[in-house]
Amino acid sequence: MDNMESRLVRLVQKGDQRAFAELVELYKDRIFHLSYRMLGNRHEAEDLVQETFLRVYRNLEKYDHGQKFSTWIYRIATNLCIDRLRRRKPTYSLDAEMNDQEGVDGYAMLASEELTPEGSTLLSETQALIHDAIDSLPDKYRTIMVLRYLQELSLQEISDVLNLPVTTIKTRVHRGRDFLRKKLEHKL
């Protein structure tokens, strides 16, 4: 995949619009998922995806071919999410009803496997507890927990995305897990 991404980036840098469309297609869902998990709002996440690709397009000449493209684009998206979170202090919950769809909350947007009604209820309640706990984390821990466990990035990739030492990432992962464990120990 890295070779294909490098080839696409080089083509985009030469002005190939179709290559850029392919990059967008490759990453739009991943960036949306990351943004939605960090921001908790579908509309903001959609806006952030567009903003991310706009930044990518404008700054593609600054891209260092020595690093992975995925790391670079995740860094852009993560920084934009952090900027948005700083600008707004109220947090949004997946429990909140979606503005454009009456009776639908954020959990309805999550993919699920076929479960029994009882299993589905239990899973929904567990997910609600976990998401609430993640939402209650301070931004610096929430960002790392989302990148590590929901986006499944390695510690090194997170380090590259956030431009922080791996040791700091390890510490924040550990502290984030401790916080979640304490928050959830009496609820699960």
Side-chain angles (χ1 to χ4, degrees), residues 6-178:
S6 294
R7 182 182 55 81
L8 288 173
V9 169
R10 285 183 187 6
L11 288 172
V12 173
Q13 287 175 326
K14 292 178 184 176
D16 187 336
Q17 296 298 314
R18 284 183 288 180
F20 186 70
E22 285 185 52
L23 279 176
V24 169
E25 195 60 37
L26 273 173
Y27 281 97
K28 70 179 181 180
D29 292 336
R30 294 183 217 178
I31 300 301
F32 174 80
H33 187 69
L34 167 71
S35 304
Y36 183 74
R37 291 294 188 174
M38 289 184 68
L39 301 172
N41 180 289
R42 191 178 116 231
H43 297 293
E44 277 191 295
E46 289 170 350
D47 288 346
L48 198 120
V49 170
Q50 290 181 3
E51 198 173 333
T52 298
F53 284 109
L54 185 60
R55 289 259 175 108
V56 165
Y57 190 77
R58 287 182 180 160
N59 295 298
L60 208 53
E61 72 281 351
K62 297 176 185 174
Y63 169 66
D64 175 12
H65 289 276
Q67 71 178 20
K68 289 174 64 174
F69 182 77
S70 61
T71 302
W72 187 66
I73 195 168
Y74 274 127
R75 177 182 293 156
I76 291 170
T78 301
N79 287 340
L80 288 170
C81 284
I82 290 169
D83 288 347
R84 285 221 182 183
L85 288 170
R86 283 182 185 146
R87 277 187 255 141
R88 67 151 197 218
K89 272 303 170 191
T91 58
Y92 297 96
S93 171
L94 288 174
D95 293 329
E97 201 169 284
M98 304 300 282
N99 291 339
D100 58 342
Q101 299 173 356
E102 188 172 322
V104 176
D105 62 10
Y107 293 108
M109 305 304 288
L110 299 174
S112 66
E113 298 177 26
E114 283 293 319
L115 295 173
T116 64
E118 181 181 324
S120 179
T121 301
L122 184 60
L123 178 62
S124 179
E125 290 171 359
T126 303
Q127 286 176 336
L129 288 171
I130 292 170
H131 287 290
D132 287 344
I134 289 172
D135 287 344
S136 69
L137 285 170
D139 291 344
K140 66 182 181 180
Y141 299 123
R142 182 178 350 140
T143 300
I144 288 175
M145 299 305 276
V146 167
L147 290 172
R148 179 73 177 128
Y149 295 107
L150 301 177
Q151 293 296 317
E152 299 178 356
L153 294 183
S154 70
L155 296 175
Q156 183 60 54
E157 288 173 322
I158 297 170
S159 170
D160 294 342
V161 167
L162 298 176
N163 203 21
L164 292 170
V166 173
T167 54
T168 302
I169 302 301
K170 286 180 183 178
T171 301
R172 289 185 183 177
V173 165
H174 179 73
R175 288 181 182 161
R177 280 195 310 236
D178 281 348

